[in-house]
Amino acid sequence: MIEMRKHIRKSLSMKLCLDILFIVILVFSLSLGFLYWQSRHIIHEEAIDEASHVLDNTALRVKGYMVEVETATRNILWLVNLHNHDKDSLLKYTHRIVANHPNTNGCSITMEPDFYPDDAYGFSAYSVRFEEFSSPEKDSVSTVREAEYDYYNKVWYKTARQKKTACWVDPFDDYNAGTLSSPEMIASYCVPLYDQQGKFIGVISTDLSLKRLTETITNEDPYEHSYFMMLGADGHYFVHPDTTKLLKQTIFTNTDPREHTDIVALGYEMTNGRTGHMEVKIDGNSHIVLYRPLEGTEWSMALVCPSNELLRGYNSLNYILLPLLVIGFLLLVMGCRRIVKHFIQPLGLLASELRQIGHGNYETPLPISQRTDLIGLLQNSFCQMRRSISQHIRDVEQKKQETEQRTIELEHVTQLARQASEQKTQFMQDMSHQIRTPLNIVHGFSQVLRDDSNTMTDEEKQQIVETMYVQTNALDYMVSKLLTASLIESHQVISTNDTVNCNEVARKALDNAGSLITHTVEMHLDCHVADELTIKTNSHHLLIVLTELLFNALHFTHEGRVTLRVEAIGDDVLFTVEDTGIGIPADKADFIFDKFTKIDMFTEGLGLGLFLCQRVVQLMDGRLILDPQYTTGSRFILSLPIH
């Protein structure tokens, strides 16, 4: 040991080797430790993200069943009101919902006790599906007038009456002795009914089988020993692999808050409608629970996975690291020893020059050696290296500045591209929704005319035809708007050689806009020019612009009136559209003429109307502005030259 210490003291190469090895091992350990921590973090996040996608996809499938139930219920509302609540019709409607929608378990239309004078205890039409075990695809549907029982105190009736809006209620056992009842636990979508005076008269309740809901959720088996669960607003289980807990226990049942604080915290997170993930102990084993609320309800879904299954890749990293660490250390020791022995002699002779370079002093000139041996060659090579390094550093700094500038420009371009992509996606979604809605209405009415035309009166048929006419007008109007957008994007020139009568085009625009809306708003035409006044412009595009401005005003005005004013000022004719609607917020006024811009992303529309109006008016040598002085609603002023 003493001899080894003496050898180390005398050997510069050994000292340098040990010093370098210590530093390299330290840096290697820190780097590897950081990479190890970062890799575990990335693997953990990827595992959580993958499980979150599984949970989101399952929630979407569940929501699809629920949306089917909601849509079927809303589509029948107008028929209930149309037939003046005839009892036979109510029975037929409940049967139609259950028969035509395989994911519904039952449907009832229940009226208030005093609605029919001849029924002391009220009236309830009820249809329920019974599965045929011999042939599941041919389930039977039974429809009856329900026997007398206290259904007015049932949760599906009281909840809709109290909330005064459509809602889902937590699953419940619908069994009632002596009545036609579902043999399964169900969750109901309840919609209150009101007469024309706004008085509550009953409830439409459509049932979703908890068994079907459970099968939809439990069909997914993303991880071994994982499972899904679903909680109601108060924490009751209504989807869980342990059927003894369903509707009888909550997540807080038999849970000691002092011993199971994680489960209690999970319960509060889920019942409060939050989204996230949490590690909890279940039956003494570590589990990761990912949870999220179910849109449109007070329910919450969760995916429960054993930690060792979900984080299998996370844990396997430990078994890879140890061999790599040992091999890396051995390679470092061997490589460091060989390199130091090879380079120590010439580096020792040039210690002073190396100290200058080691301190970062690349600009101080080093002396040129006149020696022709190896040391002289090394010294002169270091002089050349110093100059090269100095120049290289300057080049690197310049490249760095150029790269940073280029990075800023690329980030800006990327942001613009991302915004354009988001606008395109939102536009496609809006367009799909705007086209699908009237198509669904026309399709639904066409089915009604096909299936029930023999039982309908002429007045009912006329109402359906008028509704279909309004929706087809809406589709035609939307297609016309898209064609106009195509014209604008292609930068074509709009012809302005048509002779257009100002008052006549204003009347046509009022008629067109009125045919596109379903609610009633007072419309007024205020003409301050002679009927003979004409201008040279494009009649087709002027009519489209005025129709779009009037349609927007009618769409956002539910009380008051919409006015179209025609007047001549100087060499221009002004078409002013003003309304008493919700108006345009001041912070949105500067952007309403931009493409794909809407005041509220949740309102209907493509975000193209005002953009196209302004572009078309500009191509016709006109001007379209929003009057900021008008605060009662909104006022748009379109000016075109008379000559």
Side-chain angles (χ1 to χ4, degrees):
M1 182 65 67
I2 296 175
E3 292 296 324
M4 182 177 294
R5 290 179 179 176
K6 291 181 179 180
H7 178 69
I8 292 175
R9 290 195 195 102
K10 295 180 179 180
S11 175
L12 178 61
S13 63
M14 183 63 70
K15 290 181 180 179
L16 187 58
C17 180
L18 292 176
D19 291 341
I20 293 176
L21 188 62
F22 172 78
I23 295 174
V24 170
I25 290 176
L26 179 62
V27 174
F28 178 81
S29 300
L30 292 175
S31 302
L32 188 62
F34 174 77
L35 292 175
Y36 170 73
W37 175 84
Q38 190 71 14
S39 299
R40 286 173 64 90
H41 177 72
I42 292 173
I43 293 173
H44 182 274
E45 292 299 319
E46 287 180 350
I48 295 298
D49 288 344
E50 181 180 357
S52 297
H53 289 318
V54 172
L55 179 61
D56 291 342
N57 291 337
T58 304
L60 285 175
R61 281 192 291 274
V62 173
K63 188 59 181 176
Y65 287 119
M66 299 174 68
V67 168
E68 180 181 345
V69 173
E70 294 172 6
T71 303
T73 306
R74 288 194 298 266
N75 287 345
I76 211 69
L77 276 175
W78 73 274
L79 287 173
V80 174
N81 293 323
L82 184 65
H83 286 278
N84 198 22
H85 314 103
D86 176 67
K87 294 180 181 179
D88 292 336
S89 296
L90 298 184
L91 291 168
K92 180 175 65 176
Y93 298 151
T94 62
H95 186 277
R96 178 182 298 174
I97 288 180
V98 179
N100 293 343
H101 300 85
N103 289 320
T104 60
N105 190 68
C107 178
S108 66
I109 302 178
T110 305
M111 312 305 290
E112 279 284 77
D114 57 350
F115 185 80
Y116 295 107
D118 57 336
D119 289 326
Y121 64 89
F123 175 83
S124 178
Y126 181 59
S127 295
V128 65
R129 183 188 308 278
F130 293 96
E131 292 186 359
E132 298 288 342
F133 294 101
S134 61
S135 181
E137 67 274 12
K138 296 182 179 179
D139 297 344
S140 62
V141 178
S142 297
T143 302
V144 297
R145 170 184 174 171
E146 292 191 282
E148 182 178 1
Y149 79 100
D150 191 16
Y151 46 73
Y152 304 102
N153 289 320
K154 294 294 184 180
V155 63
W156 50 268
Y157 194 92
K158 292 195 301 182
T159 302
R161 184 173 188 177
Q162 291 171 358
K163 291 188 175 182
K164 299 181 180 180
T165 186
C167 60
W168 281 92
V169 297
D170 287 355
F172 57 91
D173 188 350
D174 193 45
Y175 176 75
N176 295 285
T179 65
L180 179 65
S181 303
S182 171
E184 303 174 0
M185 289 184 290
I186 57 175
S188 294
Y189 180 69
C190 308
V191 181
L193 294 172
Y194 296 93
D195 59 15
Q196 295 180 353
Q197 288 74 35
K199 178 183 176 183
F200 177 80
I201 59 174
V203 171
I204 297 180
S205 175
T206 307
D207 305 327
L208 177 64
S209 169
L210 187 59
K211 176 182 177 183
R212 290 176 180 262
L213 189 62
T214 302
E215 291 174 350
T216 300
I217 296 176
T218 56
N219 280 341
E220 280 286 339
D221 189 16
Y223 306 98
E224 187 177 359
H225 304 121
S226 67
Y227 61 91
F228 288 91
M229 68 178 183
M230 186 178 292
L231 303 183
D234 57 356
H236 272 90
Y237 292 106
F238 55 88
V239 173
H240 195 277
D242 185 358
T243 57
T244 61
K245 296 182 178 181
L246 299 181
L247 302 182
K248 299 176 182 179
Q249 297 183 18
T250 70
I251 193 172
F252 307 105
T253 302
N254 300 325
T255 302
D256 189 345
R258 292 172 295 184
E259 296 181 3
H260 303 287
T261 56
D262 50 354
I263 295 181
V264 173
L266 174 63
Y268 281 114
E269 286 284 304
M270 293 182 66
T271 54
N272 287 326
R274 297 190 178 100
T275 300
H277 65 275
M278 184 180 298
E279 187 170 352
V280 299
K281 288 283 187 179
I282 300 177
D283 298 331
N285 298 318
S286 176
H287 290 71
I288 293 180
V289 181
L290 298 97
Y291 52 90
R292 59 157 291 167
L294 198 59
E295 183 181 357
T297 70
E298 297 180 351
W299 308 339
S300 183
M301 286 185 60
L303 172 60
V304 183
C305 305
S307 298
N308 58 349
E309 293 294 335
L310 182 62
L311 304 178
R312 181 174 296 172
Y314 179 87
N315 297 324
S316 64
L317 187 62
N318 297 327
Y319 303 105
I320 300 174
L321 179 64
L322 185 58
L324 289 177
L325 188 61
V326 173
I327 295 172
F329 281 158
L330 292 175
L331 292 176
L332 279 176
V333 172
M334 295 172 59
C336 184
R337 177 64 179 170
R338 292 176 63 87
I339 292 173
V340 169
K341 289 184 67 176
H342 181 71
F343 287 103
I344 189 61
Q345 289 183 346
L347 291 177
L349 296 175
L350 296 173
S352 59
E353 289 84 354
L354 286 175
R355 279 196 296 271
Q356 293 292 328
I357 296 177
H359 286 89
N361 188 4
Y362 300 105
E363 301 298 330
T364 301
L366 299 176
I368 301 297
S369 175
Q370 301 299 323
R371 296 173 58 175
T372 59
D373 58 2
L374 180 61
I375 300 301
L377 293 175
L378 286 174
Q379 184 172 344
N380 293 335
S381 297
F382 270 103
C383 292
Q384 181 64 32
M385 182 187 69
R386 193 271 312 162
R387 290 191 293 269
S388 299
I389 290 176
S390 179
Q391 181 62 38
H392 179 69
I393 289 175
R394 289 193 292 270
D395 293 340
V396 169
E397 289 293 333
Q398 182 179 357
K399 293 295 183 181
K400 179 182 176 183
Q401 294 177 359
E402 294 175 357
T403 302
E404 290 176 349
Q405 180 63 31
R406 183 60 177 169
T407 300
I408 294 174
E409 295 174 357
L410 289 176
E411 288 176 352
H412 178 67
V413 172
T414 301
Q415 181 66 23
L416 293 178
R418 186 182 298 111
Q419 292 176 357
S421 178
E422 292 173 354
Q423 287 182 338
K424 175 184 176 182
T425 301
Q426 184 63 42
F427 170 74
M428 294 301 296
Q429 292 174 348
D430 289 344
M431 185 176 69
S432 299
H433 172 71
Q434 295 297 316
I435 293 177
R436 184 173 60 249
T437 300
L439 282 178
N440 287 342
I441 294 175
V442 173
H443 181 262
F445 278 131
S446 64
Q447 287 183 331
V448 171
L449 289 174
R450 183 192 64 188
D451 299 338
D452 299 327
S453 60
N454 295 331
T455 61
M456 297 173 64
T457 64
D458 292 339
E459 181 181 357
E460 293 171 345
K461 293 179 180 179
Q462 183 62 29
Q463 291 178 353
I464 291 176
V465 170
E466 290 178 355
T467 302
M468 294 175 66
Y469 177 75
V470 170
Q471 298 304 323
T472 53
N473 280 347
L475 281 172
D476 179 72
Y477 179 67
M478 192 179 309
V479 172
S480 176
K481 188 186 298 184
L482 293 175
L483 291 175
T484 304
S486 175
L487 173 66
I488 295 301
E489 292 298 329
S490 63
H491 303 288
Q492 295 185 14
V493 177
I494 294 178
S495 172
T496 57
N497 295 325
D498 299 338
T499 300
V500 179
N501 185 287
C502 297
N503 291 341
E504 182 179 349
V505 74
R507 295 188 188 97
K508 288 182 179 179
L510 278 175
D511 292 339
N512 290 350
S515 67
L516 296 173
I517 63 170
T518 57
H519 61 283
T520 302
V521 179
E522 180 183 352
M523 295 186 293
H524 181 65
L525 177 61
D526 188 6
C527 297
H528 295 275
V529 299
D531 284 341
E532 296 79 13
L533 179 64
T534 59
I535 59 175
K536 284 289 187 178
T537 186
N538 189 296
S539 60
H540 174 70
H541 286 92
L542 176 58
L543 180 60
I544 288 178
V545 171
L546 291 177
T547 303
E548 175 67 19
L549 294 176
L550 287 168
F551 175 73
N552 283 346
L554 293 169
H555 183 69
F556 292 103
T557 302
H558 300 285
E559 293 183 358
R561 69 177 185 174
V562 174
T563 301
L564 173 58
R565 185 180 300 109
V566 185
E567 54 189 340
I569 298 180
D571 294 332
D572 295 331
V573 60
L574 303 184
F575 296 90
T576 303
V577 178
E578 65 181 30
D579 60 67
T580 58
I582 62 176
I584 297 174
D587 59 339
K588 301 286 187 179
D590 295 335
F591 309 101
I592 58 172
F593 291 109
D594 292 346
K595 189 187 298 185
F596 306 123
T597 298
K598 298 195 291 187
I599 296 177
D600 183 354
M601 294 306 296
F602 297 99
T603 59
E604 295 184 355
L606 301 177
L608 284 175
L610 292 177
F611 163 76
L612 292 177
C613 288
Q614 189 179 63
R615 291 289 293 119
V616 168
V617 171
Q618 290 173 350
L619 292 175
M620 295 191 301
D621 298 326
R623 194 162 63 107
L624 176 62
I625 63 171
L626 171 67
D627 187 356
Q629 306 299 324
Y630 185 76
T631 58
T632 306
S634 57
R635 174 189 289 161
F636 289 88
I637 302 175
L638 188 159
S639 63
L640 291 171
I642 295 178
H643 302 293

